[in-house]
Amino acid sequence: FYALYMRSSLARRVVTLHPSPRVLDANSSSPAVSPERYWGSYRPQVYFGMKTRSPRSVVTGLMWMHQFAEMDGNLRHTCEQGDHLLGYGWLMHDGVSFGVQEIHDRDFTLTTEFVKRMGGDHGGDWTWRITAKQHGTALSTPVVSLMFYASTDGQGSLQAHVEEKNRVSSVTGTSEELGNFKITFGKPTAGEGASAKYARYNFLQTRSPGLDKLTDIVKNSLNHKFIFSPPKGEKRSYFAVDTYKVTNHQNQQNDPKMESDFVVHQVTVQTPFQIEVLFESGSFRERPNQLVGSVLTDELEKRKVAFDEKFEATFGLQAKGFTSSHIKFAKAALSNMLGGMGYFFGPSVVQSVYNEHPVLYPEGPLFTAVPSRSFFPRGFLWDEGFHQLLLSKWDTQLTQEVFAHWLDLINIEGWIPREQILDDEARSKVPSEFIVQHNENANPPTLFLALQELLEQLDAELVSSQTMLPFLRKLYPRLQVWFEWFNTTQVGPVPNSYRWRGRDKDTNLFLNPKTLTSGLDDYPRASHPSADERHVDLYCWMTLASGVMANVARILGEPHQVYENTHRSLSNNDLLNELHWSENLHAFSDYGNHTQAVSLQQEKVFVPPGQPRHQFPVARLVRSVRRAPKLQYVNALGYVSLFPFLLHILTPDSPKIEHILQAIKDPERLWTPYGLRSLSRADPLYMKRNTEHDAPYWRGPIWININYLAVRALHHYGSIEGPYKEKAATLYQELRTNLMNNVYKQYLETGYIWEQYNDSTGRGQGSHPFTGWSALTVLIMAEKY
Ligand code: 6A9
């Protein structure tokens, strides 16, 4: 009985939130407290859509189809790389009140704009304007169907108002969170002031079991029987939403209460055209006029001017002499990060050693930027620290809110789940084996980098201490337990050393078992994971974290001695050298049970009896170890070896800097014309696959987050007195130029900012658009470190 009791209470710890007062007041995201941020483009996973910062928001969105083109799979809705769009993303977005996005489909471009207007008790009104223009290269004038939709999410109701010919003129609705509202659909015109164009209309009003099913419902309701017959044009039948035969969705509880209203308004019209959609809040009474037509145009114009001014005041790219094309690129990078902010609500799925099966974490909100709107539109812990380095320059308050959301997710153990997959929409994008988050797993505490930036803003009086200090005071108990969690669960085998937990366990299948928790996935570590390891990047993160903790404590007048002591010990370069300097490599290195004599070999194996085709031998790659591992330095040269430099832990007179600068500028090792590669060309694992299915990831390609830290460090050591000042300053200029030029060039050529860049060709690769940390290029251009 006792054991059982122990087991269940231990098992509960992983899902018990930390008891300290939350940073976010219960109502802080409500329209009463924060009306300006209530509505937003907080659905980064769709090309265009809005929702409110609330748990069960009514959502609005856009799908579209190109009629009379190859039809299959032509419906666009969620951002998918498989759609092969020529490019899309926000070109302007202030994070609060307006945004301008361009979506380049094969034969036409959609411009999606929104403007908000405050008033009433529910976050006010907004208007969308969609403008479609065909490309010069299009063979015929495209006919496009826009499908505007609104859906409730388990709360509230919607009613379509249909005029003659199936045209939905408006949708009225109500929900607890939004009160009464009305959405009005304008008619398509050739431009402002022009009369309505020939168009066909269709609509669907049905019930949906969840937001992740909206695309399917629309697809399943399409019917080809409708006729598009413009004056002077040929008659053709086109696809449109018709009736949706409700099927029993798998996993559906068949509880009608769980179903939501879903209304689709389809407009089919030939390009060019422009359409407006107006959302009006019922509580907004003294509206001076409607936010449409020339009123909207004027509003948009004002916001654009304000955006441009703020952009220049913040980043000063014009003053630095950048071309207008460069500046447009930088604005797009920042804007897509802002326009990629998401508001998610739900529980993570988590596990500790005390749970036999995964369990649900408490439901909660997360307001966060996302790395990639197409491939991973959700929160990632260490990505977010990088995101906030950029966003805090633009909007300190936004950064504070993001911090508050992330730190409010901390559990009683001091753990924050690394990848936040909170709702059905998010879960629908992730293979099941990646969903569960384990409570022994860390992820680099980059939020301390962003916090350091906030402290610098406070110091420079760029932000008022009247808002910053209360924020820090609320954050502080959570920062303490978070730091403590790292400093106890991730310690290494010898004093002052640290070790990432959660490395891959099956050493036979991987050339080098991955360390997803470090953020650097397949970057080479000790070949045989063991408790004897120590990791130099984590040592450096802890040095940074303890220093920032000491500062926060000092600012708040809290005891800071413990943090200061830790910081002083870890900052002692003799200790760092003793734990991590490899004389063989002339570089900083991990230490562990390791051998270099590993390779992947083809092996013929028989599939076990009982499985299909078990009588046939199958070739697969398995790891062969030619020499036994022993305790030694890992001796891989790459990003991990640079960390003492990247995080400014080396004293400016450290002779190690000389070695680091040499490795950095050596084309046979880390230097490329496009930025620093992640792993030395000379390393045995350079560009090696980890399994037959796992292409090299952090084994050569150029990543912008680490390159940002590298230019920042070169800038740092190039500006303070020391024997390496000049060398660092020279390299700073070169690396900065290479990075800016390449990310910019790739954007022009491909229409996207990318997850990583090829170290031989500079080409963007991996997921796209990736305006997560790759958008740090803006800070590199602005030289804001
Ligand atoms: C897999 C596939 C449709 C990998 O940017 C997010 C993370 C980084 O934190 C990490 O450092 N990325 C980097 O090594 C992307 C991780 C994507 C995992 C999702 C599911 C979805 O299939």
Side-chain angles (χ1 to χ4, degrees):
F1 174 77
Y2 184 68
L4 255 179
Y5 172 75
M6 279 297 287
R7 259 177 61 189
S8 66
S9 82
L10 283 172
R12 230 176 294 126
R13 282 174 64 82
V14 65
V15 293
T16 305
L17 290 178
H18 196 269
S20 66
R22 296 171 73 84
V23 188
L24 290 166
D25 295 332
N27 291 323
S28 64
S29 301
S30 70
V33 176
S34 180
E36 295 85 6
R37 292 189 197 272
Y38 197 49
W39 273 106
S41 51
Y42 305 135
R43 306 180 64 210
Q45 70 279 17
V46 298
Y47 289 115
F48 189 47
M50 301 215 331
K51 64 179 279 192
T52 57
R53 293 204 306 174
S54 55
R56 301 253 77 93
S57 172
V58 169
V59 304
T60 56
L62 174 69
M63 307 186 195
W64 73 92
M65 250 191 328
H66 185 177
Q67 299 286 353
F68 320 121
E70 358 81 72
M71 285 306 304
D72 284 352
N74 191 22
L75 183 73
R76 320 286 201 200
H77 179 213
T78 53
C79 302
E80 301 295 338
Q81 288 180 184
D83 287 344
H84 301 293
L85 298 192
L86 306 176
Y88 62 94
W90 295 97
L91 300 182
M92 291 182 158
H93 197 303
D94 64 1
V96 181
S97 78
F98 96 112
V100 180
Q101 175 179 233
E102 269 180 21
I103 303 171
H104 303 281
D105 207 333
R106 299 271 121 189
D107 295 315
F108 54 90
T109 292
L110 296 178
T111 304
T112 66
E113 299 170 293
F114 77 88
V115 176
K116 286 160 56 178
R117 184 196 255 175
M118 285 306 113
D121 310 323
H122 299 278
D125 298 352
W126 49 254
T127 304
W128 292 357
R129 177 182 283 167
I130 315 294
T131 312
K133 289 207 171 75
Q134 75 192 73
H135 296 167
T137 53
L139 292 176
S140 58
T141 316
V143 174
V144 179
S145 290
L146 298 186
M147 292 142 153
F148 295 99
Y149 68 80
S151 177
T152 58
D153 186 16
Q155 182 200 98
S157 64
L158 298 172
Q159 184 58 51
H161 302 273
V162 184
E163 283 183 348
E164 81 287 9
K165 291 185 184 154
N166 273 347
R167 180 178 181 276
V168 178
S169 56
S170 66
V171 171
T172 51
T174 181
S175 82
E176 279 168 47
E177 294 167 348
L178 270 179
N180 296 328
F181 56 87
K182 178 178 181 187
I183 303 171
T184 309
F185 299 105
K187 289 184 172 168
T189 66
E192 200 184 312
S195 54
K197 288 187 74 159
Y198 172 83
R200 288 296 316 264
Y201 299 99
N202 302 82
F203 82 98
L204 178 70
Q205 165 134 28
T206 186
R207 306 276 288 165
S208 134
L211 296 177
D212 56 320
K213 301 292 190 304
L214 302 184
T215 316
D216 283 350
I217 292 175
V218 168
K219 273 195 180 151
N220 289 328
S221 78
L222 291 178
N223 192 322
H224 200 228
K225 71 179 182 192
F226 303 99
I227 305 294
F228 190 78
S229 170
K232 288 182 277 167
E234 57 175 310
K235 272 191 176 174
R236 287 181 286 182
S237 57
Y238 69 98
F239 282 95
V241 291
D242 190 8
T243 40
Y244 172 61
K245 285 173 245 29
V246 183
T247 53
N248 272 349
H249 284 269
Q250 281 178 335
N251 308 328
Q252 187 192 335
Q253 299 98 336
N254 280 332
D255 175 359
K257 277 199 297 284
M258 292 303 293
E259 294 205 331
S260 300
D261 283 343
F262 179 36
V263 178
V264 182
H265 162 63
Q266 176 172 349
V267 189
T268 302
V269 57
Q270 197 158 41
T271 58
F273 63 85
Q274 175 180 309
I275 298 185
E276 290 172 2
V277 177
L278 169 66
F279 175 95
E280 291 173 305
S281 168
S283 62
F284 192 157
R285 297 240 161 65
E286 282 120 50
R287 200 174 273 116
N289 47 28
Q290 283 199 318
L291 188 56
V292 292
S294 61
V295 178
L296 176 66
T297 303
D298 291 348
E299 269 306 313
L300 262 172
E301 212 39 56
K302 270 192 238 155
R303 315 282 168 115
K304 287 179 185 173
V305 170
F307 175 85
D308 285 343
E309 281 171 359
K310 182 172 173 185
F311 191 87
E312 180 58 19
T314 310
F315 301 110
L317 298 190
Q318 225 165 330
K320 280 185 179 293
F322 280 101
T323 67
S324 57
S325 169
H326 276 93
I327 294 174
K328 199 174 163 202
F329 153 78
K331 285 177 181 167
L334 171 78
S335 298
N336 206 54
M337 175 91 91
L338 285 163
M341 296 284 310
Y343 186 87
F344 306 97
F345 190 91
S348 285
V349 182
V350 303
Q351 187 155 24
S352 75
V353 293
Y354 301 107
N355 308 101
E356 200 179 331
H357 299 290
V359 286
L360 287 183
Y361 208 66
E363 286 197 328
L366 180 62
F367 182 50
T368 185
V370 304
S372 165
R373 289 176 55 194
S374 58
F375 223 59
F376 2 98
R378 50 186 177 272
F380 287 82
L381 183 52
W382 91 300
D383 295 63
E384 200 51 30
F386 289 109
H387 300 159
Q388 294 310 319
L389 282 176
L390 175 60
L391 294 186
S392 58
K393 306 274 186 196
W394 179 256
D395 186 343
T396 313
Q397 196 213 330
L398 180 109
T399 297
Q400 290 181 25
E401 290 207 16
V402 167
F403 255 95
H405 279 90
W406 275 97
L407 268 298
D408 276 349
L409 288 172
I410 206 163
N411 78 358
I412 196 167
E413 305 164 312
W415 173 65
I416 304 177
R418 170 170 67 103
E419 192 174 338
Q420 296 285 331
I421 310 164
L422 299 184
D423 53 34
D424 290 341
E425 272 186 289
R427 267 188 289 277
S428 71
K429 285 220 154 193
V430 187
S432 55
E433 70 265 32
F434 295 116
I435 290 183
V436 181
Q437 305 292 308
H438 293 266
N439 74 337
E440 65 271 28
N441 290 352
N443 204 206
T446 52
L447 285 175
F448 283 107
L449 276 176
L451 192 54
Q452 197 175 39
E453 161 68 25
L454 291 183
L455 298 187
E456 276 164 27
Q457 291 184 3
L458 179 67
D459 199 41
E461 292 176 13
L462 291 170
V463 31
S464 104
S465 56
Q466 269 169 25
T467 57
M468 188 63 90
L469 290 181
F471 164 71
L472 289 177
R473 198 164 287 294
K474 282 186 174 177
L475 205 61
Y476 188 62
R478 288 165 180 272
L479 290 173
Q480 282 184 296
V481 291
W482 197 40
F483 178 85
E484 224 22 62
W485 180 85
F486 274 95
N487 209 27
T488 48
T489 68
Q490 308 289 308
V491 291
V494 293
N496 292 310
S497 71
Y498 293 92
R499 174 169 75 88
W500 297 111
R501 304 305 198 265
R503 292 196 60 194
D504 282 339
K505 299 209 166 50
D506 196 342
T507 50
N508 277 334
L509 295 183
F510 306 100
L511 182 60
N512 187 279
K514 289 198 294 287
T515 317
L516 293 178
T517 50
S518 73
L520 309 174
D521 296 22
D522 63 342
Y523 185 94
R525 308 277 182 172
S527 61
H528 291 66
S530 74
D532 291 317
E533 262 169 274
R534 49 183 193 257
H535 298 124
V536 62
D537 50 339
L538 185 50
Y539 176 103
C540 296
W541 287 120
M542 294 308 291
T543 314
L544 170 85
S546 55
V548 176
M549 283 306 292
N551 280 340
V552 179
R554 215 176 295 118
I555 290 168
L556 294 176
E558 295 282 333
H560 45 83
Q561 208 52 52
V562 180
Y563 299 120
E564 222 149 72
N565 291 346
T566 307
H567 186 60
R568 197 171 320 105
S569 317
L570 296 178
S571 298
N572 176 350
N573 281 199
D574 292 336
L575 171 69
L576 170 67
N577 294 339
E578 194 191 309
L579 288 173
H580 287 293
W581 182 258
S582 159
E583 264 311 323
N584 282 338
L585 188 69
H586 287 298
F588 290 103
S589 172
D590 289 343
Y591 183 91
N593 191 25
H594 181 66
T595 172
Q596 271 200 358
V598 293
S599 55
L600 289 182
Q601 304 281 342
Q602 290 265 345
E603 191 189 74
K604 290 234 156 57
V605 292
F606 285 88
V607 176
Q611 292 192 16
R613 295 164 72 248
H614 77 260
Q615 61 272 48
F616 304 111
V618 179
R620 64 163 189 184
L621 288 176
V622 291
R623 182 166 87 160
S624 108
V625 178
R626 292 186 307 281
R627 212 172 329 110
K630 61 169 200 237
L631 287 180
Q632 59 173 321
Y633 283 113
V634 175
N635 287 340
L637 184 86
Y639 287 168
V640 165
S641 0
L642 302 183
F643 264 83
F645 179 74
L646 298 178
L647 297 183
H648 309 180
I649 291 153
L650 297 176
T651 56
D653 60 351
S654 165
K656 309 302 188 209
I657 293 180
E658 173 73 36
H659 293 285
I660 286 182
L661 295 181
Q662 274 174 20
I664 283 181
K665 70 171 193 217
D666 180 2
E668 289 310 310
R669 288 183 284 169
L670 301 182
W671 190 263
T672 86
Y674 321 106
L676 301 182
R677 58 167 71 85
S678 39
L679 187 63
S680 164
R681 257 180 97 86
D683 191 274
L685 262 55
Y686 168 71
M687 287 310 279
K688 286 272 161 53
R689 305 182 77 80
N690 206 31
T691 69
E692 54 186 312
H693 309 291
D694 258 343
Y697 201 38
W698 294 84
R699 294 184 183 171
I702 297 160
W703 294 79
I704 304 302
N705 59 338
I706 304 294
N707 272 282
Y708 167 80
L709 293 178
V711 273
R712 177 178 168 267
L714 288 168
H715 186 262
H716 170 76
Y717 289 105
S719 343
I720 51 175
E721 282 319 312
Y724 312 104
K725 185 178 175 189
E726 262 92 72
K727 276 187 195 159
T730 310
L731 274 180
Y732 165 72
Q733 295 298 349
E734 293 178 29
L735 182 58
R736 171 173 178 257
T737 307
N738 288 350
L739 285 163
M740 298 186 309
N741 286 353
N742 191 55
V743 177
Y744 169 68
K745 174 165 175 269
Q746 296 301 318
Y747 177 74
L748 289 195
E749 282 179 17
T750 65
Y752 291 106
I753 293 173
W754 294 77
E755 183 182 17
Q756 36 157 276
Y757 292 86
N758 187 289
D759 67 317
S760 314
T761 62
R763 271 208 289 273
Q765 54 188 28
S767 78
H768 56 280
F770 189 104
T771 34
W773 56 46
S774 298
L776 288 171
T777 311
V778 179
L779 293 184
I780 297 175
M781 293 169 79
E783 303 188 272
K784 299 263 182 202
Y785 305 112

